[in-house]
Amino acid sequence: MDVQSQLPTLLARGRAIMIRRIAILLAAVGLTLASGVGPSAADEPLPVPYSYLAGVNASLTNPGAAPPGSNDWSCKPTADHPNPVVLLHGFLGTMTSAWQTLSPLLANSGFCVFALTYGVTASDQVGAMAPIERSAAEVGQFVDQVRAATGADQVDLVGHSIGATLPFYYYNYLGGAAKVRHHVGLAPWYRGTTQLGAAPTLLALMGLPVIGPAVLQQCGVCDQALVGSPFIATLNANAAVAPGISFTNIMTRNEEIATPYTTGYLDGPNVTNIVVQERCSLDNTDHFQLPYDPIATQYVLNALDPAHAVEPLCRPVVPFAGAI
């Protein structure tokens, strides 16, 4: 098999198989999820599901669609919420799979919400695979489009995983710091990820003459994300480089991807670090469930609208299925 030519197909096929298996599991146990389609009446709030499986469902039923409440290019920010919110999904995600909770939640709260799928290489069904330099440039272009459409000077960025991390390249090298007021990171990996101890082995594989070029052609971020990669120093995830931005980092101890979870910490007077289990011991959310977690998403709202912040109700949350 020609690894390089087959890699895009294999990646897309693997993700499709995973989604189908979860869908079969849902059917087997009789679960139903909101489709993500907004209510018919314009004055009715959009439904807000609190389960990662809602993103799976949306990806199956309406792949590539903007999440509910997002990308209304006629939306004008209000005095209460002057900054439009731009949502940045994680690795192998899309705007459809990532934001079935936060997009309608923010829209119901009066924010202008925008989302994109960026960093596409192998298939339009998966994003955030391109090198961070390219993905950050795409995000920067999208931010400028949002600012032009809404008339806002600044936006708020909310990202998950790589989507929480790549903005530092935007701040440091692409002039983005002046265009952002709030940065909210869900499970960021500012100092790279150990991948549960596999980072040295993965970096070694990337260095092999056949495997490395084939993988990196389609997954330019695959080596950049790892602890020990040269790119981590280049990224320079340091809140001091953007003193005008308010940073909020929301993490879970039950990490499979951004490991250790403390890679999501930043230091500085403009930083708030939140570990959900320190606020609610019943919350067992993992990396994938975090953007759908009712507790974490309330902390996102609090970060974007601190004048009306409320402490979320502590309740049981489990990976994938969500609140119980």
Side-chain angles (χ1 to χ4, degrees), residues 21-81:
R21 286 178 176 172
I22 294 176
I24 292 169
L25 174 63
L26 285 176
V29 300
L31 289 176
T32 58
L33 293 168
S35 66
V37 177
S40 57
D43 57 346
E44 292 181 3
L46 295 164
V48 181
Y50 289 99
S51 168
Y52 170 80
L53 299 177
V56 174
N57 187 58
S59 296
L60 284 167
T61 58
N62 202 6
S70 72
N71 293 355
D72 175 3
W73 294 94
S74 65
C75 186
K76 298 299 179 185
T78 65
D80 287 338
H81 304 301

Short mmCIF file of all heavy atoms in Angstrom, two decimals, residues 21-81:
data_model
loop_
_atom_site.label_atom_id
_atom_site.label_comp_id
_atom_site.label_asym_id
_atom_site.label_seq_id
_atom_site.Cartn_x
_atom_site.Cartn_y
_atom_site.Cartn_z
N ARG A 21 -20.47 3.57 14.71
CA ARG A 21 -20.56 2.66 15.85
C ARG A 21 -21.26 3.32 17.03
O ARG A 21 -22.05 2.69 17.73
CB ARG A 21 -19.16 2.19 16.23
CG ARG A 21 -18.58 1.17 15.25
CD ARG A 21 -17.18 0.76 15.63
NE ARG A 21 -16.69 -0.28 14.75
CZ ARG A 21 -15.44 -0.73 14.75
NH1 ARG A 21 -14.56 -0.23 15.62
NH2 ARG A 21 -15.07 -1.68 13.92
N ILE A 22 -20.96 4.58 17.26
CA ILE A 22 -21.63 5.28 18.35
C ILE A 22 -23.12 5.42 18.05
O ILE A 22 -23.96 5.28 18.93
CB ILE A 22 -20.98 6.66 18.59
CG1 ILE A 22 -19.55 6.48 19.10
CG2 ILE A 22 -21.79 7.47 19.58
CD1 ILE A 22 -18.79 7.77 19.28
N ALA A 23 -23.44 5.68 16.78
CA ALA A 23 -24.85 5.80 16.40
C ALA A 23 -25.59 4.49 16.63
O ALA A 23 -26.73 4.46 17.09
CB ALA A 23 -24.95 6.21 14.93
N ILE A 24 -24.94 3.36 16.29
CA ILE A 24 -25.54 2.05 16.52
C ILE A 24 -25.76 1.82 18.01
O ILE A 24 -26.79 1.31 18.45
CB ILE A 24 -24.66 0.95 15.91
CG1 ILE A 24 -24.68 1.05 14.38
CG2 ILE A 24 -25.12 -0.43 16.35
CD1 ILE A 24 -23.64 0.18 13.70
N LEU A 25 -24.76 2.23 18.82
CA LEU A 25 -24.89 2.10 20.27
C LEU A 25 -26.06 2.91 20.79
O LEU A 25 -26.84 2.44 21.62
CB LEU A 25 -23.59 2.55 20.94
CG LEU A 25 -23.61 2.59 22.48
CD1 LEU A 25 -23.83 1.19 23.03
CD2 LEU A 25 -22.31 3.18 23.00
N LEU A 26 -26.22 4.10 20.28
CA LEU A 26 -27.34 4.94 20.69
C LEU A 26 -28.67 4.26 20.39
O LEU A 26 -29.58 4.23 21.22
CB LEU A 26 -27.28 6.29 19.95
CG LEU A 26 -26.24 7.30 20.40
CD1 LEU A 26 -26.29 8.51 19.50
CD2 LEU A 26 -26.45 7.69 21.84
N ALA A 27 -28.77 3.70 19.16
CA ALA A 27 -30.01 3.03 18.78
C ALA A 27 -30.26 1.81 19.66
O ALA A 27 -31.40 1.53 20.05
CB ALA A 27 -29.94 2.62 17.32
N ALA A 28 -29.18 1.11 20.00
CA ALA A 28 -29.33 -0.12 20.78
C ALA A 28 -29.85 0.15 22.18
O ALA A 28 -30.64 -0.61 22.73
CB ALA A 28 -28.00 -0.85 20.86
N VAL A 29 -29.41 1.25 22.76
CA VAL A 29 -29.85 1.53 24.13
C VAL A 29 -31.05 2.46 24.18
O VAL A 29 -31.53 2.81 25.24
CB VAL A 29 -28.68 2.14 24.95
CG1 VAL A 29 -27.53 1.19 25.02
CG2 VAL A 29 -28.24 3.49 24.37
N GLY A 30 -31.53 2.84 22.97
CA GLY A 30 -32.76 3.60 22.92
C GLY A 30 -32.62 5.05 23.27
O GLY A 30 -33.60 5.71 23.66
N LEU A 31 -31.42 5.62 23.16
CA LEU A 31 -31.23 7.02 23.45
C LEU A 31 -31.70 7.87 22.29
O LEU A 31 -31.59 7.48 21.13
CB LEU A 31 -29.75 7.32 23.72
CG LEU A 31 -29.19 6.79 25.03
CD1 LEU A 31 -27.70 7.09 25.08
CD2 LEU A 31 -29.89 7.42 26.22
N THR A 32 -32.23 9.05 22.58
CA THR A 32 -32.56 10.01 21.54
C THR A 32 -31.92 11.32 21.90
O THR A 32 -31.79 11.68 23.07
CB THR A 32 -34.08 10.22 21.42
OG1 THR A 32 -34.61 10.65 22.68
CG2 THR A 32 -34.77 8.92 21.01
N LEU A 33 -31.52 12.05 20.86
CA LEU A 33 -30.85 13.32 21.08
C LEU A 33 -31.52 14.40 20.26
O LEU A 33 -32.09 14.13 19.20
CB LEU A 33 -29.38 13.21 20.65
CG LEU A 33 -28.52 12.28 21.49
CD1 LEU A 33 -27.19 12.05 20.80
CD2 LEU A 33 -28.31 12.87 22.87
N ALA A 34 -31.40 15.63 20.72
CA ALA A 34 -31.89 16.74 19.91
C ALA A 34 -31.12 16.79 18.61
O ALA A 34 -29.92 16.60 18.58
CB ALA A 34 -31.72 18.05 20.69
N SER A 35 -31.81 17.05 17.52
CA SER A 35 -31.16 17.03 16.21
C SER A 35 -30.25 18.21 16.00
O SER A 35 -29.45 18.23 15.07
CB SER A 35 -32.24 17.03 15.12
OG SER A 35 -32.97 18.25 15.13
N GLY A 36 -30.37 19.24 16.84
CA GLY A 36 -29.55 20.43 16.65
C GLY A 36 -30.24 21.47 15.79
O GLY A 36 -29.69 22.54 15.56
N VAL A 37 -31.43 21.16 15.27
CA VAL A 37 -32.16 22.12 14.45
C VAL A 37 -32.89 23.05 15.38
O VAL A 37 -33.55 22.63 16.34
CB VAL A 37 -33.14 21.39 13.52
CG1 VAL A 37 -33.94 22.39 12.72
CG2 VAL A 37 -32.38 20.44 12.61
N GLY A 38 -32.81 24.32 15.08
CA GLY A 38 -33.40 25.31 15.95
C GLY A 38 -34.92 25.29 15.92
O GLY A 38 -35.54 24.69 15.04
N PRO A 39 -35.58 25.95 16.88
CA PRO A 39 -37.04 25.99 16.92
C PRO A 39 -37.59 26.80 15.77
O PRO A 39 -36.92 27.65 15.20
CB PRO A 39 -37.33 26.66 18.28
CG PRO A 39 -36.10 27.46 18.58
CD PRO A 39 -34.97 26.70 17.98
N SER A 40 -38.84 26.54 15.43
CA SER A 40 -39.43 27.23 14.28
C SER A 40 -39.73 28.68 14.57
O SER A 40 -39.63 29.53 13.70
CB SER A 40 -40.72 26.51 13.86
OG SER A 40 -41.63 26.44 14.95
N ALA A 41 -40.10 28.99 15.79
CA ALA A 41 -40.40 30.37 16.14
C ALA A 41 -39.13 31.11 16.50
O ALA A 41 -38.33 30.64 17.30
CB ALA A 41 -41.38 30.42 17.32
N ALA A 42 -38.96 32.30 15.90
CA ALA A 42 -37.71 33.03 16.07
C ALA A 42 -37.48 33.46 17.51
O ALA A 42 -36.35 33.65 17.93
CB ALA A 42 -37.71 34.26 15.15
N ASP A 43 -38.59 33.61 18.28
CA ASP A 43 -38.43 34.09 19.65
C ASP A 43 -38.28 32.95 20.65
O ASP A 43 -38.17 33.19 21.84
CB ASP A 43 -39.63 34.97 20.04
CG ASP A 43 -40.96 34.25 19.89
OD1 ASP A 43 -40.99 33.18 19.24
OD2 ASP A 43 -41.96 34.77 20.41
N GLU A 44 -38.29 31.71 20.20
CA GLU A 44 -38.10 30.59 21.09
C GLU A 44 -36.62 30.28 21.22
O GLU A 44 -35.87 30.36 20.25
CB GLU A 44 -38.84 29.34 20.58
CG GLU A 44 -40.35 29.47 20.62
CD GLU A 44 -41.03 28.21 20.11
OE1 GLU A 44 -40.30 27.25 19.79
OE2 GLU A 44 -42.26 28.19 20.04
N PRO A 45 -36.16 29.89 22.42
CA PRO A 45 -34.74 29.56 22.58
C PRO A 45 -34.40 28.29 21.82
O PRO A 45 -35.22 27.39 21.66
CB PRO A 45 -34.58 29.37 24.09
CG PRO A 45 -35.96 29.03 24.58
CD PRO A 45 -36.91 29.79 23.69
N LEU A 46 -33.17 28.22 21.38
CA LEU A 46 -32.68 27.03 20.72
C LEU A 46 -32.47 25.92 21.74
O LEU A 46 -32.06 26.20 22.87
CB LEU A 46 -31.36 27.32 20.01
CG LEU A 46 -31.42 28.31 18.84
CD1 LEU A 46 -30.02 28.80 18.51
CD2 LEU A 46 -32.07 27.67 17.63
N PRO A 47 -32.72 24.67 21.38
CA PRO A 47 -32.44 23.58 22.32
C PRO A 47 -30.94 23.46 22.57
O PRO A 47 -30.13 23.66 21.66
CB PRO A 47 -32.99 22.34 21.62
CG PRO A 47 -33.04 22.71 20.17
CD PRO A 47 -33.29 24.19 20.12
N VAL A 48 -30.59 23.14 23.80
CA VAL A 48 -29.18 23.02 24.18
C VAL A 48 -28.95 21.63 24.78
O VAL A 48 -29.24 21.40 25.95
CB VAL A 48 -28.78 24.11 25.20
CG1 VAL A 48 -27.30 23.98 25.56
CG2 VAL A 48 -29.07 25.50 24.64
N PRO A 49 -28.43 20.69 24.00
CA PRO A 49 -28.11 19.37 24.54
C PRO A 49 -26.78 19.40 25.26
O PRO A 49 -25.88 20.15 24.89
CB PRO A 49 -28.02 18.49 23.28
CG PRO A 49 -27.53 19.44 22.23
CD PRO A 49 -28.12 20.79 22.56
N TYR A 50 -26.64 18.58 26.29
CA TYR A 50 -25.39 18.56 27.07
C TYR A 50 -24.73 17.18 26.98
O TYR A 50 -24.40 16.58 27.99
CB TYR A 50 -25.66 18.95 28.52
CG TYR A 50 -25.98 20.42 28.68
CD1 TYR A 50 -27.30 20.84 28.80
CD2 TYR A 50 -24.98 21.36 28.69
CE1 TYR A 50 -27.60 22.19 28.94
CE2 TYR A 50 -25.27 22.72 28.83
CZ TYR A 50 -26.57 23.12 28.95
OH TYR A 50 -26.85 24.45 29.07
N SER A 51 -24.52 16.72 25.77
CA SER A 51 -23.89 15.43 25.55
C SER A 51 -23.04 15.47 24.29
O SER A 51 -23.47 15.99 23.26
CB SER A 51 -24.95 14.33 25.41
OG SER A 51 -24.36 13.13 24.94
N TYR A 52 -21.84 14.91 24.39
CA TYR A 52 -20.97 14.76 23.22
C TYR A 52 -21.68 14.03 22.09
O TYR A 52 -21.42 14.29 20.90
CB TYR A 52 -19.71 14.01 23.63
CG TYR A 52 -18.81 13.57 22.50
CD1 TYR A 52 -17.93 14.47 21.90
CD2 TYR A 52 -18.84 12.26 22.03
CE1 TYR A 52 -17.11 14.07 20.86
CE2 TYR A 52 -18.02 11.86 21.00
CZ TYR A 52 -17.16 12.77 20.41
OH TYR A 52 -16.35 12.36 19.38
N LEU A 53 -22.59 13.14 22.44
CA LEU A 53 -23.30 12.37 21.42
C LEU A 53 -24.19 13.26 20.56
O LEU A 53 -24.55 12.87 19.44
CB LEU A 53 -24.12 11.27 22.09
CG LEU A 53 -23.30 10.26 22.90
CD1 LEU A 53 -24.20 9.26 23.59
CD2 LEU A 53 -22.28 9.57 22.03
N ALA A 54 -24.54 14.44 21.03
CA ALA A 54 -25.29 15.38 20.20
C ALA A 54 -24.44 15.82 19.00
O ALA A 54 -24.96 16.02 17.90
CB ALA A 54 -25.72 16.60 21.02
N GLY A 55 -23.14 15.98 19.21
CA GLY A 55 -22.25 16.32 18.11
C GLY A 55 -22.12 15.18 17.12
O GLY A 55 -22.05 15.39 15.90
N VAL A 56 -22.08 13.95 17.64
CA VAL A 56 -22.05 12.77 16.77
C VAL A 56 -23.31 12.71 15.93
O VAL A 56 -23.28 12.49 14.71
CB VAL A 56 -21.89 11.49 17.61
CG1 VAL A 56 -22.00 10.25 16.73
CG2 VAL A 56 -20.55 11.49 18.35
N ASN A 57 -24.45 12.93 16.59
CA ASN A 57 -25.73 12.89 15.89
C ASN A 57 -25.79 13.94 14.79
O ASN A 57 -26.22 13.66 13.67
CB ASN A 57 -26.85 13.11 16.90
CG ASN A 57 -28.23 12.92 16.31
OD1 ASN A 57 -28.54 11.86 15.78
ND2 ASN A 57 -29.05 13.95 16.38
N ALA A 58 -25.34 15.15 15.08
CA ALA A 58 -25.37 16.23 14.09
C ALA A 58 -24.44 15.92 12.92
O ALA A 58 -24.75 16.21 11.77
CB ALA A 58 -24.98 17.55 14.75
N SER A 59 -23.29 15.32 13.22
CA SER A 59 -22.35 14.98 12.16
C SER A 59 -22.92 13.91 11.22
O SER A 59 -22.60 13.89 10.03
CB SER A 59 -21.03 14.47 12.76
OG SER A 59 -20.39 15.50 13.49
N LEU A 60 -23.75 13.02 11.77
CA LEU A 60 -24.38 11.98 10.96
C LEU A 60 -25.53 12.52 10.14
O LEU A 60 -25.70 12.15 8.97
CB LEU A 60 -24.89 10.86 11.86
CG LEU A 60 -23.85 9.89 12.42
CD1 LEU A 60 -24.46 9.05 13.52
CD2 LEU A 60 -23.29 9.01 11.32
N THR A 61 -26.34 13.38 10.74
CA THR A 61 -27.57 13.81 10.08
C THR A 61 -27.38 15.04 9.21
O THR A 61 -28.12 15.23 8.24
CB THR A 61 -28.65 14.11 11.13
OG1 THR A 61 -28.17 15.12 12.04
CG2 THR A 61 -28.99 12.86 11.93
N ASN A 62 -26.41 15.88 9.53
CA ASN A 62 -26.24 17.12 8.77
C ASN A 62 -24.77 17.52 8.74
O ASN A 62 -24.38 18.58 9.23
CB ASN A 62 -27.08 18.24 9.41
CG ASN A 62 -27.38 19.36 8.43
OD1 ASN A 62 -27.06 19.28 7.24
ND2 ASN A 62 -27.98 20.43 8.93
N PRO A 63 -23.91 16.68 8.16
CA PRO A 63 -22.47 16.94 8.20
C PRO A 63 -22.11 18.25 7.52
O PRO A 63 -22.65 18.60 6.46
CB PRO A 63 -21.88 15.74 7.45
CG PRO A 63 -22.99 15.22 6.61
CD PRO A 63 -24.24 15.46 7.39
N GLY A 64 -21.20 18.98 8.15
CA GLY A 64 -20.72 20.23 7.57
C GLY A 64 -21.59 21.43 7.88
O GLY A 64 -21.21 22.57 7.52
N ALA A 65 -22.73 21.24 8.54
CA ALA A 65 -23.64 22.35 8.81
C ALA A 65 -23.11 23.20 9.96
O ALA A 65 -22.50 22.71 10.91
CB ALA A 65 -25.02 21.83 9.16
N ALA A 66 -23.38 24.49 9.87
CA ALA A 66 -23.05 25.38 10.99
C ALA A 66 -23.88 24.99 12.20
O ALA A 66 -25.06 24.63 12.06
CB ALA A 66 -23.32 26.83 10.61
N PRO A 67 -23.31 25.02 13.40
CA PRO A 67 -24.08 24.65 14.58
C PRO A 67 -25.21 25.64 14.83
O PRO A 67 -25.16 26.80 14.40
CB PRO A 67 -23.04 24.69 15.71
CG PRO A 67 -21.94 25.56 15.19
CD PRO A 67 -21.92 25.39 13.71
N PRO A 68 -26.26 25.20 15.51
CA PRO A 68 -27.43 26.06 15.75
C PRO A 68 -27.04 27.37 16.41
O PRO A 68 -26.25 27.40 17.35
CB PRO A 68 -28.30 25.22 16.69
CG PRO A 68 -27.90 23.81 16.42
CD PRO A 68 -26.44 23.85 16.10
N GLY A 69 -27.60 28.45 15.89
CA GLY A 69 -27.36 29.77 16.46
C GLY A 69 -26.14 30.49 15.93
O GLY A 69 -25.89 31.64 16.29
N SER A 70 -25.38 29.84 15.04
CA SER A 70 -24.13 30.45 14.56
C SER A 70 -24.24 30.96 13.12
O SER A 70 -25.16 30.59 12.38
CB SER A 70 -22.98 29.44 14.65
OG SER A 70 -23.12 28.45 13.65
N ASN A 71 -23.28 31.80 12.78
CA ASN A 71 -23.06 32.26 11.40
C ASN A 71 -24.26 32.99 10.81
O ASN A 71 -24.56 32.85 9.62
CB ASN A 71 -22.63 31.10 10.50
CG ASN A 71 -21.26 30.58 10.87
OD1 ASN A 71 -20.57 31.14 11.73
ND2 ASN A 71 -20.83 29.51 10.22
N ASP A 72 -24.92 33.78 11.64
CA ASP A 72 -25.91 34.74 11.15
C ASP A 72 -25.14 36.03 10.86
O ASP A 72 -24.83 36.80 11.76
CB ASP A 72 -26.99 34.98 12.21
CG ASP A 72 -27.97 36.08 11.80
OD1 ASP A 72 -27.84 36.61 10.67
OD2 ASP A 72 -28.86 36.41 12.61
N TRP A 73 -24.82 36.23 9.59
CA TRP A 73 -23.93 37.34 9.23
C TRP A 73 -24.62 38.70 9.29
O TRP A 73 -23.98 39.73 9.08
CB TRP A 73 -23.32 37.09 7.85
CG TRP A 73 -22.40 35.90 7.89
CD1 TRP A 73 -22.70 34.61 7.60
CD2 TRP A 73 -21.03 35.89 8.31
NE1 TRP A 73 -21.61 33.79 7.80
CE2 TRP A 73 -20.57 34.55 8.23
CE3 TRP A 73 -20.14 36.88 8.74
CZ2 TRP A 73 -19.27 34.18 8.57
CZ3 TRP A 73 -18.85 36.51 9.07
CH2 TRP A 73 -18.42 35.18 8.99
N SER A 74 -25.92 38.69 9.61
CA SER A 74 -26.62 39.96 9.84
C SER A 74 -26.66 40.32 11.32
O SER A 74 -27.15 41.40 11.68
CB SER A 74 -28.05 39.87 9.30
OG SER A 74 -28.81 38.92 10.03
N CYS A 75 -26.14 39.44 12.18
CA CYS A 75 -26.18 39.68 13.62
C CYS A 75 -25.30 40.88 14.00
O CYS A 75 -24.17 41.01 13.54
CB CYS A 75 -25.68 38.44 14.36
SG CYS A 75 -25.84 38.52 16.17
N LYS A 76 -25.85 41.74 14.82
CA LYS A 76 -25.12 42.91 15.30
C LYS A 76 -24.97 42.82 16.82
O LYS A 76 -25.96 42.66 17.54
CB LYS A 76 -25.83 44.21 14.93
CG LYS A 76 -25.96 44.43 13.43
CD LYS A 76 -24.59 44.50 12.75
CE LYS A 76 -24.73 44.71 11.25
NZ LYS A 76 -23.40 44.66 10.56
N PRO A 77 -23.75 42.92 17.33
CA PRO A 77 -23.55 42.83 18.78
C PRO A 77 -24.30 43.92 19.53
O PRO A 77 -24.49 45.03 19.03
CB PRO A 77 -22.03 42.99 18.93
CG PRO A 77 -21.47 42.61 17.59
CD PRO A 77 -22.49 43.05 16.59
N THR A 78 -24.71 43.59 20.74
CA THR A 78 -25.42 44.52 21.60
C THR A 78 -24.45 45.17 22.58
O THR A 78 -23.29 44.74 22.71
CB THR A 78 -26.51 43.79 22.38
OG1 THR A 78 -25.89 42.84 23.27
CG2 THR A 78 -27.45 43.06 21.44
N ALA A 79 -24.94 46.17 23.29
CA ALA A 79 -24.11 46.83 24.30
C ALA A 79 -23.75 45.85 25.42
O ALA A 79 -22.66 45.93 26.01
CB ALA A 79 -24.85 48.04 24.86
N ASP A 80 -24.65 44.92 25.72
CA ASP A 80 -24.37 43.93 26.77
C ASP A 80 -23.32 42.93 26.33
O ASP A 80 -22.54 42.43 27.15
CB ASP A 80 -25.65 43.18 27.15
CG ASP A 80 -26.61 44.04 27.96
OD1 ASP A 80 -26.14 45.02 28.58
OD2 ASP A 80 -27.80 43.73 27.98
N HIS A 81 -23.30 42.60 25.03
CA HIS A 81 -22.37 41.61 24.49
C HIS A 81 -21.73 42.19 23.22
O HIS A 81 -22.07 41.80 22.10
CB HIS A 81 -23.08 40.30 24.18
CG HIS A 81 -23.81 39.71 25.35
ND1 HIS A 81 -23.16 39.38 26.53
CD2 HIS A 81 -25.11 39.41 25.54
CE1 HIS A 81 -24.04 38.89 27.38
NE2 HIS A 81 -25.23 38.91 26.81
#
